[in-house]
Amino acid sequence: DAARRNVTMKIEIPKSLDEVKALVARKISESLYLDYKRSEALKKGDTTELTKDVSAFANSDGGCLVYGVIEEDQIPAGLDSGVDMSVIGREWLENILLARIQPRLDGLVINVIPLTATHAIFCVAVAKTLRGPHQAEDKNYYKRFKLKSEPMEDYEIGDVDRKSVV
């Protein structure tokens, strides 16, 4: 898959439940390239936070969001019950991200890792932009800064634009 080959990251994207459990067991903390989210953060309706976080990774150096992990002070504490796949599916998530972040993202990879027959962990990996800067659905531009998604300053938007390749 072309998108999978184009993603170059500073971290390994979890592809199995064992890999997610290893992040928790080894207490791999959040970083500029890794963010843990509870499953409830993926919900239909208001997807502003989702597009903000994904666009921030794209506008920075890429990274991975792992939905289904409980974190305390940026350290993973365990897995939650997972995302309900009857409500949120891979296709829905991909469609939201590709439709609500402008310009369209390159190198988006979504790994759905089953926990049970009905619930899963979702890993959303985002490559550093080649066509940015990317705007979240709230019409703002974000970057990763001090383990959070923060609004970009005007000069930073220009910097990302100048570094982008069409």
Side-chain angles (χ1 to χ4, degrees):
D1 165 81
R4 202 174 294 273
R5 285 191 302 273
N6 289 335
V7 175
T8 55
M9 302 255 204
K10 307 291 184 198
I11 64 157
E12 273 297 311
I13 303 158
K15 296 174 196 71
S16 69
L17 187 55
D18 285 343
E19 290 178 15
V20 175
K21 286 180 176 178
L23 290 173
V24 175
R26 293 182 8 230
K27 299 192 179 308
I28 303 299
S29 73
E30 292 182 326
S31 68
L32 289 177
Y33 306 101
L34 178 64
D35 198 359
Y36 300 112
K37 301 283 186 187
R38 290 182 180 259
S39 294
E40 304 87 63
L42 272 185
K43 58 184 176 284
K44 292 194 174 178
D46 184 7
T47 54
T48 304
E49 194 71 21
L50 169 65
T51 63
K52 174 180 150 181
D53 290 337
V54 171
S55 66
F57 274 127
N59 290 332
S60 298
D61 205 20
C64 185
L65 290 146
V66 182
Y67 290 90
V69 175
I70 301 162
E71 60 89 11
E72 296 168 0
D73 298 320
Q74 289 84 41
I75 305 292
L79 304 181
D80 63 21
S81 60
V83 176
D84 184 343
M85 293 185 294
S86 70
V87 178
I88 302 291
R90 183 190 183 287
E91 185 176 344
W92 175 86
L93 181 56
E94 183 175 59
N95 288 341
I96 290 294
L97 295 173
L98 294 178
R100 297 188 184 175
I101 296 175
Q102 298 301 322
R104 190 179 178 107
L105 293 166
D106 292 315
L108 180 67
V109 175
I110 300 170
N111 290 337
V112 179
I113 301 169
L115 273 176
T116 67
T118 59
H119 288 73
I121 298 207
F122 280 61
C123 298
V124 180
V126 188
K128 181 178 180 177
T129 188
L130 299 175
R131 298 191 300 159
H134 295 278
Q135 186 181 59
E137 76 178 275
D138 66 0
K139 305 299 182 204
N140 289 312
Y141 295 88
Y142 296 93
K143 65 180 178 187
R144 288 288 289 174
F145 181 72
K146 294 188 178 181
L147 309 184
K148 297 193 312 195
S149 299
E150 296 285 331
M152 294 174 76
E153 299 292 334
D154 183 65
Y155 75 89
E156 292 172 314
I157 295 167
D159 286 349
V160 172
D161 190 39
R162 283 187 288 281
K163 291 176 186 171
S164 297
V165 187
V166 179

